[in-house]
């Protein structure tokens, strides 16, 4: 028998609450303050004046971000476990967005799969691989709504629609966290960025946001509420000012809405450096003021601004915050650590993540994820699928055809993931000899910033810049290759550093001289198939009018090259539908489908009423749009009741027939419009979808339920949530312009 003191918080048989209370009772003020801080874990940041991660571990800080090397993680963790008085483990966080070692398609691409179950499986693999490398916490999913394609971060989101985003975000939370955070297959998820970040003025990242109560409640809070209901462990505040108030200081948004109304009582972290930013933003007088604002707004953890560490002692001394408030700030952090099982398993096993990344099951999942998220936008005269046997030589044009980084290898800071490029995928399918390749001219950001550096740091093939003459020569070479071929597959779009954080764009055309290249390819007279690579919708209006087929492949991830070949050659029938509207031109932005009808509806009879004299109001491709090699016919739309009282439900059924010779999957979408009521409602809103496989020649009957859940909304007129007695129109079809329509009425109870 040793007479070691019994330490309750170390006893894993006790509940999280019992352990948290015990630990909290033993902590000094210094211990508590340190737990509220997340520090940068990159050693090189010492060069720019940041404290060394080893010193911070010894100080007992709560968390570190961006420690990419697992050996370093174990080293700092050992210091935290063994060289601090209470041995509280470090919580390691990083952005695991679309895969860790196995690169999956970009989030916006995954949203186009309209398949929450698939996305859940994808994030499960990411969680498993990340956890094996000692990552406990991902700063993801992004629950922002993206309605402006100029915004750099649209690709991180689930697109423009609150209903679709909610389903997908909830699936991501489930995938990352599973049922048990202590499992070696789970990591804590983080909904970000609370709230409204996607609505930055002009699509300019970081710019202020102005949103009405109605927009916040009917659109922007909705995916957050879904993630919270799914049990998300953490939430992140947004950088920007919302209605002139920075989110990190907003007691209204964080305390009243996020905590009290949406019921989030777990770990709330800031975005990087935002407490310090409150001074720059012109909101806080100094660090002390910024710290007071953030802690009073219920922020638990300071991501990398070091303001909590510096200023909280003084605030305590001045009595501006009390011990009880400090304890309430620390408590969720400790709970998260207990739930994650970090006191029992603080270290990671070296090499385990690399081994997991070899799992062929994960690779097949990556291939399926890419197949299911590539959207077929145009298919003139059914040129696709290509017939392998009659096809001669294929010209593969464009540098994205052979670029791992641009096809989605940059999934996580510091860990480049492997990607099978489209060129490799096509060569595998057709054999080396039938594929001729020319990269064409390079395109570059005209203004670089830290994102360009971040991408360059991956060390993957980013080409040297070219002079005008070199670009001209590259175009000529592409044409020469094309002329020797029977068909051209052009991979055009945007480099990896052209979308993402701090990466908004004032145009949505093909960057650099790609448009010129495309027009010259067309002039060869050969069939041209355009495969778009990139992280945002592009206004490829000329291409829609001139090329034979268009695929939006996004950044398709590890198996993207093979998945593109699977679709081009018809081994897989495309089934993805857009989660974000594609505009005809940048001037239409922000462009999204769920706008109100106005006094002068665009859809006016006998002629549509365009908002522009030089451009149609309609998009290039609407939300929900996506072609298939099958043909689906919708009929027999019927409602179980024509009238329901408030609180009652009705059932909608529709027959969907696959009239083609190919089995195919269809995303059956249901849209509603409330014709009058307390407020004016959007002319269409997605309120249901189902992805179904329909064999050739067969009919599937798809049903939806409509009730208060779908019909209630936040009313500006009434200043509360309402369900009106009113008439409704309803459409079911394969995109947001579906025309198969029914009507029903809701009466008072
Ligand atoms: C981004 C967050 C991200 C954080 C940490 C910030 O700049 O806005 O989305 O999670 O950095 O990488």
């Amino acid at each position: 028998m040793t007479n070691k003191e019994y330490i309750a918080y170390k006893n894993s048989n006790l509940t999280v609450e019992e352990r948290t209370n015990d630990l909290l009772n033993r902590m000094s003020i210094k211990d508590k303050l340190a737990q509220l801080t997340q520090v940068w874990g990159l050693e090189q940041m010492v060069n720019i004046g940041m404290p060394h991660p080893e010193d911070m571990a010894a100080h007992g800080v709560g968390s570190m971000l961006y420690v990419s090397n697992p050996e370093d993680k174990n080293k700092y963790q050992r210091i935290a476990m063994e060289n601090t008085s209470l041995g509280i483990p470090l919580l390691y966080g990083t952005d695991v967005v679309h895969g860790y070692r196995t690169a999956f398609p970009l989030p916006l691409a995954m949203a186009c799969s309209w398949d929450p179950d698939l996305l859940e499986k994808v994030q499960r693999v990411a969680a498993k691989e990340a956890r094996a490398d000692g990552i406990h916490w991902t700063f993801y999913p992004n629950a922002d709504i993206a309605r402006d394609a100029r915004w750099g971060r649209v690709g991180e989101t689930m697109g423009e629609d609150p209903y679709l985003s909610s389903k997908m975000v909830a699936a991501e939370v489930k995938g990352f966290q599973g049922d048990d955070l202590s499992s070696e297959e789970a990591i804590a998820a983080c909904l970000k960025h609370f709230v409204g970040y996607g609505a930055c003025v002009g699509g300019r990242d970081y710019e202020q946001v102005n949103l009405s109560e109605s927009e916040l409640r009917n659109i922007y809070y909705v995916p957050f509420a879904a993630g919270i209901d799914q049990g998300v462990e953490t939430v992140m505040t947004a950088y920007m000012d919302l209605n002139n108030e920075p989110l990190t200081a907003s007691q209204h948004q964080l305390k009243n809405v996020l905590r009290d109304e949406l019921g989030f009582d777990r770990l709330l972290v800031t975005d990087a450096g935002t407490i310090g930013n409150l001074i720059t933003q012109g909101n806080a007088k100094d660090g002390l003021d910024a710290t007071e604002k953030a802690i009073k707004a219920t922020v638990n953890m300071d991501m990398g601004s070091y303001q909590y560490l510096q200023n909280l002692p003084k605030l305590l001394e001045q009595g501006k915050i009390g011990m009880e408030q400090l304890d309430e700030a620390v408590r969720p952090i400790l709970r998260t650590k207990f739930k994650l099982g970090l006191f029992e398993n603080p270290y990671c096993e070296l090499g385990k993540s690399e081994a997991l990344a070899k799992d062929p099951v994960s690779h097949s999942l990556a291939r399926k994820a890419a197949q299911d998220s590539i959207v077929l936008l145009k298919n003139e005269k059914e040129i696709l699928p290509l017939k392998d046997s009659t096809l001669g030589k294929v010209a593969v044009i464009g540098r994205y055809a052979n670029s791992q980084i641009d096809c989605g290898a940059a999934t996580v800071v510091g860990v480049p993931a492997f990607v099978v490029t489209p060129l490799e995928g096509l060569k595998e399918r057709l054999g080396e000899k039938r594929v001729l390749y020319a990269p064409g001219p390079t395109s570059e950001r005209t203004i670089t910033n830290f994102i360009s550096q971040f991408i360059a740091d991956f060390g993957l093939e980013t080409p040297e810049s070219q002079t005008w003459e070199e670009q001209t020569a590259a175009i000529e070479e592409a044409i020469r290759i094309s002329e020797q071929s029977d068909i051209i597959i052009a991979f055009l779009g945007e480099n990896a550093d052209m979308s993402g954080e701090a990466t908004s764009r004032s145009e949505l055309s093909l960057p650099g001289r790609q448009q010129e290249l495309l027009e010259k390819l067309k002039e060869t007279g050969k069939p041209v198939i355009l495969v778009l690579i990139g992280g945002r919708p592009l206004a490829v209006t000329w291409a829609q009018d001139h090329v034979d087929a268009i695929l939006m492949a996004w950044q398709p991830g590890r198996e993207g090259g093979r998945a593109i070949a699977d679709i081009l050659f018809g081994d897989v029938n495309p089934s993805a539908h857009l989660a974000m509207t594609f505009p005809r031109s940048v001037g239409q932005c922000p462009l999204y489908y769920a706008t109100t009808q106005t006094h002068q509806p665009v859809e006016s009879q006998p002629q549509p009423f365009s908002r522009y004299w030089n451009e149609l109001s309609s998009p290039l491709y609407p939300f929900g749009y996506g072609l298939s090699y099958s043909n689906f016919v919708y009929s027999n739309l019927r409602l179980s009741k024509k009238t329901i009282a408030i609180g009652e439900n009705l059932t909608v059924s529709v027959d969907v027939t696959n009239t083609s010779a190919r089995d195919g999957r269809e995303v059956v979408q249901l849209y509603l419009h409330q014709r009058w009521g307390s407020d004016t409602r959007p002319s269409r809103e997605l309120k249901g979808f189902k992805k179904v496989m329909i064999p050739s020649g067969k009919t599937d009957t798809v049903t939806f339920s409509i009730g208060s859940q779908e019909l209630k909304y936040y009313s500006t007129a009434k200043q509360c949530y309402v369900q009106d007695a009113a008439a409704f129109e309803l459409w079911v079809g394969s995109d947001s312009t579906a025309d198969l329509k029914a009507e029903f009425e809701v009466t008072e109870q």
Side-chain angles (χ1 to χ4, degrees):
M1 271 291 280
T2 62
N3 75 14
K4 247 182 157 182
E5 186 203 354
Y6 170 70
I7 303 177
Y9 74 86
K10 292 197 172 164
N11 179 353
S12 60
N13 293 323
L14 297 184
T15 64
V16 165
E17 231 26 55
E18 287 165 336
R19 299 179 78 184
T20 304
N21 288 335
D22 179 68
L23 177 54
L24 209 47
N25 282 335
R26 294 170 191 265
M27 288 167 78
S28 66
I29 292 183
K30 176 189 159 279
D31 293 333
K32 291 178 187 173
L33 293 175
Q35 282 300 308
L36 300 178
T37 290
Q38 180 178 62
V39 300
W40 297 96
L42 295 170
E43 288 194 8
Q44 59 268 39
M45 289 185 84
V46 175
N47 304 335
I48 55 162
M50 298 287 178
H52 196 286
E54 281 185 26
D55 298 333
M56 290 288 93
H59 187 79
V61 294
S63 177
M64 284 189 192
L65 78 157
Y66 285 3
V67 186
S68 52
N69 181 346
E71 285 176 50
D72 287 342
K73 285 196 204 95
N74 282 344
K75 181 169 72 181
Y76 307 146
Q77 190 68 297
R78 191 149 283 117
I79 296 173
M81 297 300 292
E82 294 172 9
N83 300 0
T84 63
S85 56
L86 293 164
I88 306 176
L90 278 161
L91 178 64
Y92 285 116
T94 205
D95 301 75
V96 180
V97 176
H98 55 111
Y100 182 64
R101 288 186 188 276
T102 306
F104 290 100
L106 201 69
L108 184 55
M110 286 306 308
C112 295
S113 73
W114 295 59
D115 188 343
D117 295 340
L118 175 65
L119 185 53
E120 182 187 332
K121 287 188 193 123
V122 159
Q123 297 302 29
R124 195 69 184 161
V125 171
K128 208 187 330 182
E129 291 178 2
R131 183 74 188 236
D133 248 359
I135 291 165
H136 314 126
W137 180 16
T138 174
F139 308 126
Y140 198 72
N142 187 321
D144 296 320
I145 294 290
R147 298 187 152 189
D148 191 329
R150 294 171 295 182
W151 186 41
R153 304 190 75 169
V154 297
E156 288 176 51
T157 74
M158 293 289 136
E160 74 183 53
D161 184 74
Y163 185 89
L164 177 60
S165 297
S166 299
K167 303 287 173 210
M168 301 307 261
V169 161
E172 299 198 283
V173 171
K174 215 166 154 198
F176 285 126
Q177 299 192 167
D179 300 325
D180 174 10
L181 274 182
S182 72
S183 143
E184 52 183 33
E185 300 195 350
I187 53 178
C190 180
L191 293 179
K192 66 186 189 185
H193 310 77
F194 196 77
V195 62
Y197 187 11
C200 45
V201 173
R204 294 186 293 273
D205 201 16
Y206 304 153
E207 212 75 74
Q208 74 190 62
V209 169
N210 303 303
L211 287 172
S212 68
E213 198 66 12
S214 162
E215 287 168 298
L216 283 167
R217 292 184 175 277
N218 293 318
I219 302 161
Y220 290 85
Y221 292 154
V222 178
F224 285 93
I228 291 166
D229 286 350
Q230 190 57 55
V232 76
E233 190 59 26
T234 77
V235 171
M236 184 188 289
T237 66
Y239 278 129
M240 73 315 145
D241 298 297
L242 170 65
N243 302 332
N244 292 346
E245 189 185 29
L247 266 312
T248 301
S250 176
Q251 289 195 28
H252 173 60
Q253 294 299 340
L254 303 183
K255 192 168 175 305
N256 302 350
V257 178
L258 178 70
R259 302 293 201 181
D260 295 348
E261 255 192 83
L262 301 180
F264 178 73
D265 58 4
R266 300 179 182 180
L267 199 169
L268 177 61
V269 65
T270 68
D271 201 343
T274 58
I275 302 182
N277 292 349
L278 296 178
I279 308 167
T280 323
Q281 267 163 279
N283 183 266
K285 183 174 160 226
D286 50 26
L288 209 59
D289 188 21
T291 304
E292 186 177 350
K293 283 184 154 138
I295 193 119
K296 290 197 165 152
T298 77
V299 166
N300 302 105
M301 191 174 269
D302 169 0
M303 182 190 279
S305 87
Y306 302 85
Q307 294 292 340
Y308 267 14
L309 214 50
Q310 287 166 31
N311 299 306
L312 278 174
K314 191 129 189 223
L315 286 182
L316 273 170
E317 208 180 285
Q318 294 175 344
K320 292 213 170 122
I321 60 159
M323 275 312 285
E324 207 180 314
Q325 202 169 4
L326 179 62
D327 284 358
E328 287 325 300
V330 180
R331 205 180 283 278
I333 298 168
L334 302 180
R335 285 193 191 118
T336 300
K337 293 185 178 188
F338 283 118
K339 285 191 220 168
L340 281 161
L342 300 187
F343 288 80
E344 290 69 47
N345 292 307
Y347 304 110
C348 62
E349 191 185 315
L350 301 183
K352 184 174 166 196
S353 183
E354 284 95 327
L356 282 175
K358 296 196 179 113
D359 186 351
V361 177
S362 306
H363 306 168
S364 315
L365 185 66
R367 188 157 173 172
K368 176 156 175 57
Q371 291 164 345
D372 288 8
S373 58
I374 295 171
V375 191
L376 179 60
L377 297 174
K378 178 177 184 187
N379 193 13
E380 189 82 5
K381 298 198 192 113
E382 299 192 352
I383 186 167
L384 297 178
L386 299 173
K387 282 145 215 81
D388 195 344
S389 49
T390 53
L391 201 68
K393 286 213 161 64
V394 176
V396 174
I397 306 297
R399 52 169 287 235
Y400 307 126
N402 199 25
S403 163
Q404 292 199 52
I405 194 86
D406 298 318
C407 288
T411 60
V412 168
V413 177
V415 189
F418 168 74
V419 165
V420 178
T421 66
L423 183 62
E424 288 159 349
L426 286 165
K427 282 185 173 168
E428 256 178 41
R429 188 72 176 61
L430 291 170
E432 290 271 341
K433 290 209 184 99
R434 288 166 72 193
V435 178
L436 306 177
Y437 173 61
T442 57
S443 316
E444 282 170 62
R445 280 177 69 127
T446 33
I447 302 170
T448 57
N449 66 9
F450 67 93
I451 291 295
S452 324
Q453 191 51 49
F454 167 76
I455 295 293
D457 285 348
F458 279 94
L460 294 167
E461 61 313 268
T462 30
E464 301 281 304
S465 7
Q466 289 174 328
T467 61
W468 185 266
E469 290 69 30
E470 285 165 342
Q471 287 179 346
T472 306
I475 293 174
E476 282 164 4
E477 171 66 2
I479 301 306
R480 196 181 65 76
I481 294 284
S482 299
E483 277 164 351
Q484 294 167 16
S485 310
D486 301 291
I487 191 163
I488 301 165
I489 309 178
F491 290 83
L492 305 179
E494 290 192 333
N495 303 0
D497 70 355
M498 290 177 177
S499 63
E501 188 176 339
T503 305
S504 295
R505 247 192 110 189
S506 69
E507 289 172 9
L508 293 174
S509 50
L510 294 166
R513 293 173 70 185
Q514 295 184 82
Q515 180 63 31
E516 178 188 339
L517 169 66
L518 186 61
E519 291 181 23
K520 291 198 164 133
L521 292 173
K522 170 74 186 171
E523 280 165 21
T524 63
K526 314 271 170 164
V528 179
I529 293 160
L530 172 62
V531 181
L532 291 167
I533 298 287
R536 61 154 61 77
L538 290 173
V540 285
T541 312
W542 184 92
Q544 169 61 25
D545 292 341
H546 294 91
V547 306
D548 299 274
I550 307 177
L551 282 181
M552 180 70 207
W554 307 102
Q555 293 176 9
R558 189 189 198 282
E559 295 292 314
R562 295 188 175 117
I564 289 169
D566 293 337
I567 288 191
L568 288 174
F569 290 95
D571 301 340
V572 167
N573 191 351
S575 63
H577 288 245
L578 294 176
M580 203 177 162
T581 303
F582 272 48
R584 293 174 187 277
S585 64
V586 71
Q588 290 180 308
C589 289
L591 190 67
Y592 48 94
Y593 81 96
T595 52
T596 56
Q597 203 147 279
T598 79
H599 74 285
Q600 182 61 77
V602 174
E603 307 283 332
S604 309
Q605 295 298 334
Q607 232 190 326
F609 186 93
S610 183
R611 300 285 184 251
Y612 306 101
W613 63 256
N614 63 329
E615 180 76 276
L616 295 172
S617 288
S618 60
L620 180 60
Y621 307 115
F623 173 81
Y625 172 81
L627 301 174
S628 160
Y629 297 148
S630 302
N631 185 37
F632 300 105
V633 175
Y634 286 71
S635 64
N636 204 13
L637 177 61
R638 52 213 185 270
L639 309 182
S640 61
K641 295 176 200 159
K642 281 283 181 192
T643 305
I644 52 169
I646 289 176
E648 285 181 355
N649 281 41
L650 63 82
T651 306
V652 180
S653 321
V654 69
D655 294 342
V656 188
T657 305
N658 180 349
T659 58
S660 71
R662 289 191 64 122
D663 299 348
R665 277 174 306 155
E666 170 68 322
V667 178
V668 181
Q669 303 161 40
L670 179 144
Y671 295 87
L672 282 185
H673 173 228
Q674 178 175 327
R675 289 185 48 209
W676 61 77
S678 308
D679 288 8
T680 314
R681 302 297 301 141
S683 47
R684 290 195 181 199
E685 279 184 297
L686 181 74
K687 289 293 173 181
F689 66 87
K690 283 192 181 151
K691 191 161 189 178
V692 288
M693 155 61 93
I694 310 180
S696 154
K698 295 277 189 273
T699 298
D700 196 359
T701 300
V702 178
T703 59
F704 299 94
S705 175
I706 303 286
S708 299
Q709 189 67 25
E710 289 71 33
L711 301 174
K712 68 173 198 287
Y713 65 96
Y714 180 84
S715 155
T716 301
K718 300 256 174 79
Q719 303 265 301
C720 62
Y721 288 89
V722 296
Q723 184 184 347
D724 291 324
F728 290 82
E729 297 167 300
L730 169 159
W731 297 262
V732 179
S734 63
D735 64 49
S736 55
T737 65
D739 53 13
L740 186 63
K741 181 175 163 187
E743 294 183 42
F744 65 93
E745 237 177 271
V746 175
T747 58
E748 297 290 352
Q749 265 167 330

